[in-house]
Amino acid sequence: MRKTKKKGSGEADQDPSGSPARVTKKTPAAMFLVGEEGPAEKAQKKKGISKGSEEQKKEEEEEGGEVAGVVTKNSNQKGKAKGKGKKKAKEERAPSPPVEVDEPQEFVLRPAPQGRTVRCRLTRDKKGMDRGLYPSYFLHLDTEKKVFLLAGRKRKRSKTANYLISSDPTNLSRGGENFIGKLRSNLLGNRFTVFDNGQNPHRGGGSTDVGSLRQELAAVIYETNVLGFRGPRRMTVIIPGMNTDNERVPIRPRNASDGLLVRWQNKTLESLIELHNKPPVWNEDSGSYTLNFQGRVTQASVKNFQIVHADDPDYIVLQFGRVAEDAFTLDYRYPLCALQAFAIALSSFDGKLACE
């Protein structure tokens, strides 16, 4: 039994955005909000949520039209049954313009706009003498202009898997001015931490300003499943929560015992959000595990995944999947930024000694 996931076209019409169940679900602004203290701040929090709810409802209605258009386009039955289907798809997709990138270095650190999906394409370059072992990865907006966002490569001579991430595709060095973050694994290769480009607390001495210390932007944990070493992967993703201004709460550990992975192990998740991959369903007809990617994924792969919050499994925070041998789609939503999404996807390329 091969562990694969691919799109499930039969599920496309089973998740209407206006279903009664979704009315009672939290908005993303509320779902990813983490605690404040004091009555004044609580009042502000309540006020912020109601405002966010109205904006989110309006934006989700717009995006619902865009998603509906994609579903109609990918459904051969609807397209052939009525000539109106294509016309309707165009009308529904119009309200959601492409995401604009003003300043790329700021954009990749900024959370996705609420109610919008940032659609990207990740490509892998294995050309050259040693790129078979140390390929380079590039992230672009999946639009006509193909705006470049990020590049990453696996470092050589590193004890653990270590990926450098840069905003310059021609300079992937640790000391470059475009170095923007990194992804590092543990010795087993089944737990990863995403950092920004701040100061390493172990190298700055005791006098380092807290504000200059590096932030931990995400942690990814891969687990074995009920099928042992066979079957789909299980992922847990830990990210910092958001405040009432929809800004990421900074997590700047001063030592290794205060990082995201340790907090997750100790179940001290204050100011943090725990996410999981959406479990795929076994399909007897295809003989594989399937997920509905709304036509964005076209090839089965163990690397395909969707990340969701337990409060709303229909709100896809991040989805990643193969469309060609070395090409993948990477779509993310609030509260993730491009750097978090790219790094989480890079972790799936690494060989999991404890998971495979």
Side-chain angles (χ1 to χ4, degrees), residues 3 26 32 340:
K3 46 182 179 179
K26 293 181 180 179
F32 300 105
Q340 288 171 310

Side-chain angles (χ1 to χ4, degrees), residues 83-286:
K84 296 180 181 178
K86 293 181 181 177
K87 187 176 181 182
K88 186 178 180 182
K90 288 182 180 178
E91 290 174 356
E92 289 176 337
R93 291 178 67 178
S96 188
V99 175
E100 294 185 5
V101 179
D102 42 8
E103 186 61 45
Q105 280 196 300
E106 293 179 9
F107 177 84
V108 297
L109 293 170
R110 194 186 308 143
Q114 291 190 46
R116 300 287 297 280
T117 297
V118 182
R119 292 177 168 84
C120 305
R121 178 163 290 233
L122 188 155
T123 52
R124 174 173 56 185
D125 180 8
K126 294 190 288 189
K127 297 174 184 176
M129 286 184 62
D130 58 3
R131 290 197 182 177
L133 292 174
Y134 301 98
S136 297
Y137 302 89
F138 303 96
L139 187 71
H140 294 78
L141 277 184
D142 198 1
T143 59
E144 291 182 8
K145 293 184 179 179
K146 300 292 181 196
V147 179
F148 169 78
L149 296 177
L150 292 166
R153 70 169 177 85
K154 192 173 184 179
R155 295 182 72 184
K156 304 172 187 175
R157 299 182 296 277
S158 185
K159 293 179 182 178
T160 62
N162 201 323
Y163 294 80
L164 291 180
I165 301 173
S166 171
S167 58
D168 182 352
T170 63
N171 185 359
L172 287 166
S173 64
R174 178 74 172 81
E177 63 179 20
N178 297 108
F179 167 70
I180 204 164
K182 74 173 185 176
L183 171 75
R184 189 186 68 197
S185 81
N186 63 350
L187 287 170
L188 285 176
N190 65 337
R191 295 184 181 182
F192 294 79
T193 304
V194 183
F195 302 94
D196 71 359
N197 60 357
Q199 175 77 43
N200 185 331
H202 304 299
R203 294 177 185 167
S207 60
T208 306
D209 176 41
V210 177
S212 66
L213 292 178
R214 66 186 182 189
Q215 292 187 52
E216 292 194 6
L217 299 177
V220 187
I221 302 100
Y222 289 87
E223 307 165 58
T224 53
N225 50 69
V226 292
L227 298 176
F229 296 112
R230 300 186 65 79
R233 293 172 173 172
R234 287 174 56 190
M235 297 170 64
T236 298
V237 177
I238 308 298
I239 58 172
M242 309 297 281
N243 63 22
T244 52
D245 294 322
N246 297 324
E247 295 173 341
R248 192 180 305 112
V249 175
I251 305 294
R252 294 188 172 94
R254 290 174 176 251
N255 52 65
S257 62
D258 194 32
L260 293 179
L261 286 171
V262 176
R263 294 189 190 191
W264 172 76
Q265 278 182 302
N266 296 335
K267 297 186 174 10
T268 53
L269 296 175
E270 291 83 1
S271 299
L272 305 180
I273 301 294
E274 183 173 336
L275 307 170
H276 296 276
N277 67 303
K278 193 170 188 175
V281 179
W282 178 257
N283 187 310
E284 290 289 348
D285 295 333
S286 64

